[in-house]
């Protein structure tokens, strides 16, 4: 099996399109199509079913992809080990993170990483948690900064804890339900408790249904036997907090988003539900010097530059 050819077939499967795959591979659509037709002719079987708007692997295609992706992962790991042995700063590092805080972390950590490993190309990707875990399990991504629940920790991945973040109830300070709110800047441990059903008659804005945060929120609401009117759903926690600031609704957010807020009253939720922020990678994978360096930079960022607002 030709590794370059494998890369072509994997990219077609990833994008579901000859056109999109060719664009990402920086080759012509005609050349890529010819490569696929040539391979299918050599094998004597079709690897993809061609639909009107996309392409899906056949049974033979799935077998080819499974073994081909394993070969690409082994090649990558071999190169990582050899580069470390040669003490060279070559190759690339594929990093995935969630939206919003992920880009802040990238902007803060990348310059220091680039100074130390100028020959390493960093390939960052914003993804939802489910997509992050799938990419990490397949070996398509080297490191991920993920926020997960215990149930989401799959056995083929390592989850290195960065910190645990409590979930907080956020209410507009003008809302009559915001009883005895803590002063802005109060450490997380000293915030007062409030049951979520105390916000009756107030609409909620929530994360979109398939998000990890929403799964946790739904459990909290179910436990409280409370079914709020949901005014708005979003993939952006910052958008939700903006609506709370403007006295439009209440929400539930992670403690990592808690900062000095003079228009929002924050409350701890009884039972102290939380999620975990972890650095995640394939179990048993070789972590080269660049990966180890970036792991340390991530830990330092969330410990020093973006810490939880807690008592010193």
């Amino acid at each position: 099996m030709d590794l370059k050819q494998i890369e072509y077939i994997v990219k077609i499967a990833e994008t579901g399109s000859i056109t999109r795959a060719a664009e990402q591979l920086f080759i012509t659509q005609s050349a890529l199509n010819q490569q696929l037709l040539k391979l299918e002719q050599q094998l004597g079987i079709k690897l993809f079913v061609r639909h009107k708007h996309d392409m899906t692997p056949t049974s033979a295609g799935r077998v080819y992809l499974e073994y081909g992706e394993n070969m690409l992962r082994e090649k990558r790991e071999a190169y990582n080990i050899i580069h470390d042995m040669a003490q060279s700063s070559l190759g690339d590092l594929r990093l995935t993170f969630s939206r919003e805080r992920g880009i802040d972390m990238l902007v803060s950590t990348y310059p220091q990483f680039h100074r130390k490993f100028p020959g390493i190309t960093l390939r960052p990707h914003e993804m939802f948690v489910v997509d992050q875990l799938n990419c990490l399990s397949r070996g398509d991504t080297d490191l991920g900064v993920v926020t997960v629940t215990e149930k989401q920790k799959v056995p083929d991945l390592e989850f290195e804890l960065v910190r645990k973040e409590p979930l907080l109830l956020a209410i507009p300070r003008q809302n009559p339900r915001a009883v005895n709110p803590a002063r802005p800047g109060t450490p997380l441990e000293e915030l007062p408790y409030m049951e979520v059903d105390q916000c009756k008659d107030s609409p909620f804005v929530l994360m979109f249904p398939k998000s990890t945060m929403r799964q946790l929120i739904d459990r909290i609401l179910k436990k409280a036997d409370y079914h709020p009117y949901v005014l708005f759903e979003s993939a952006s926690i910052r958008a939700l907090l903006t609506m709370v600031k403007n006295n439009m609704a209440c929400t539930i957010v992670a403690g990592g988003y808690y900062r000095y807020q003079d228009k929002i009253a924050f409350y701890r939720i009884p039972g102290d539900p939380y999620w975990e922020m972890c650095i995640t990678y394939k179990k048993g994978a070789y972590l080269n010097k660049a990966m180890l360096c970036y792991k340390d930079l991530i830990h330092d960022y969330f410990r020093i530059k973006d810490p939880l607002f807690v008592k010193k």
Side-chain angles (χ1 to χ4, degrees):
M1 295 174 78
D2 180 275
L3 290 179
K4 180 58 71 176
Q5 202 170 49
I6 294 172
E7 291 176 356
Y8 290 164
I9 303 305
V10 168
K11 186 58 68 175
I12 294 171
E14 285 179 357
T15 61
S17 162
I18 290 283
T19 302
R20 290 190 293 271
E23 289 173 353
Q24 294 183 24
L25 291 166
F26 301 103
I27 62 174
T28 66
Q29 180 179 340
S30 175
L32 183 56
N33 190 52
Q34 287 300 316
Q35 285 286 338
L36 174 58
L37 293 174
K38 179 181 176 181
L39 177 60
E40 289 180 328
Q41 186 176 16
Q42 289 174 347
L43 296 173
I45 193 169
K46 293 291 184 183
L47 297 180
F48 290 91
V49 178
R50 291 161 173 79
H51 305 287
K52 185 175 181 180
H53 297 295
D54 64 0
M55 300 171 64
T56 56
T58 62
S59 296
R62 289 193 293 272
V63 172
Y64 184 94
L65 288 164
E66 178 183 352
Y67 284 89
E69 288 170 350
N70 286 337
M71 292 176 68
L72 292 177
R73 283 193 291 271
E74 290 178 358
K75 171 194 171 184
R76 180 176 179 79
E77 185 158 311
Y79 276 40
N80 283 336
I81 295 171
I82 291 169
H83 286 154
D84 273 359
M85 292 172 68
Q87 297 185 346
S88 63
S89 296
L90 299 173
D92 59 19
L93 171 59
R94 299 166 300 176
L95 175 70
T96 177
F97 47 79
S98 59
R99 296 182 174 187
E100 299 180 342
R101 287 189 295 171
I103 195 66
D104 293 337
M105 179 272 296
L106 176 68
V107 169
S108 179
T109 55
Y110 176 71
Q112 187 175 346
F113 175 79
H114 183 64
R115 285 194 296 271
K116 191 168 184 178
F117 295 94
I120 299 289
T121 301
L122 185 67
R123 303 189 185 279
H125 295 280
E126 283 187 322
M127 298 182 189
F128 295 122
V129 172
V130 172
D131 298 324
Q132 285 182 288
L133 296 178
N134 287 335
C135 281
L136 288 159
S137 290
R138 291 196 306 265
D140 296 339
T141 300
D142 299 309
L143 294 176
V145 183
V146 302
T147 44
V148 293
T149 65
E150 195 65 34
K151 291 182 178 180
Q152 289 177 300
K153 294 183 180 180
V154 293
D156 62 332
L157 297 178
E158 295 284 356
F159 291 87
E160 186 175 308
L161 183 65
V162 175
R163 69 189 187 195
K164 294 181 179 181
E165 294 186 347
L167 302 190
L168 305 174
L169 180 62
I171 306 174
R173 282 187 176 266
Q174 298 178 35
N175 191 310
R177 302 290 182 183
V179 180
N180 299 321
R183 61 177 179 78
T186 298
L188 282 169
E189 307 98 314
E190 297 181 1
L191 293 177
Y193 283 97
M194 180 180 286
E195 296 278 3
V196 292
D197 61 4
Q198 294 299 304
C199 295
K200 287 179 179 177
D201 304 323
S202 295
F204 270 70
V205 288
L206 300 175
M207 289 294 287
F208 69 102
K210 293 186 178 180
S211 65
T212 299
M213 173 66 76
R214 182 60 179 273
Q215 293 175 38
L216 288 166
I217 290 171
D218 286 346
R219 289 179 205 164
I220 292 168
L221 296 175
K222 182 178 180 180
K223 184 177 180 180
D225 193 24
Y226 178 49
H227 307 281
Y229 168 65
V230 179
L231 175 67
F232 178 69
E233 296 173 328
S234 175
S236 170
I237 290 181
R238 288 175 178 166
L240 303 182
L241 288 173
T242 297
M243 297 183 77
V244 178
K245 288 178 186 177
N246 285 277
N247 199 28
M248 296 178 67
C250 306
T251 192
I252 296 175
V253 298
Y257 289 88
Y258 171 68
R259 285 293 184 273
Y260 187 97
Q261 299 278 3
D262 59 358
K263 294 183 179 180
I264 300 178
F266 288 92
Y267 297 86
R268 294 166 69 184
I269 299 170
D272 290 312
Y274 67 89
W275 68 4
E276 294 183 5
M277 177 183 290
C278 298
I279 298 172
T280 307
Y281 46 91
K282 187 79 172 177
K283 188 168 288 185
Y286 176 78
L287 301 185
N288 63 18
K289 293 176 182 176
M291 296 179 205
L292 293 172
C293 173
Y294 220 106
K295 279 200 322 116
D296 289 341
L297 291 174
I298 293 168
H299 278 290
D300 287 345
Y301 172 78
F302 286 107
R303 179 174 57 86
I304 300 171
K305 296 185 178 180
D306 187 29
L308 289 177
F309 202 84
V310 296
K311 292 174 68 175
K312 300 298 182 182

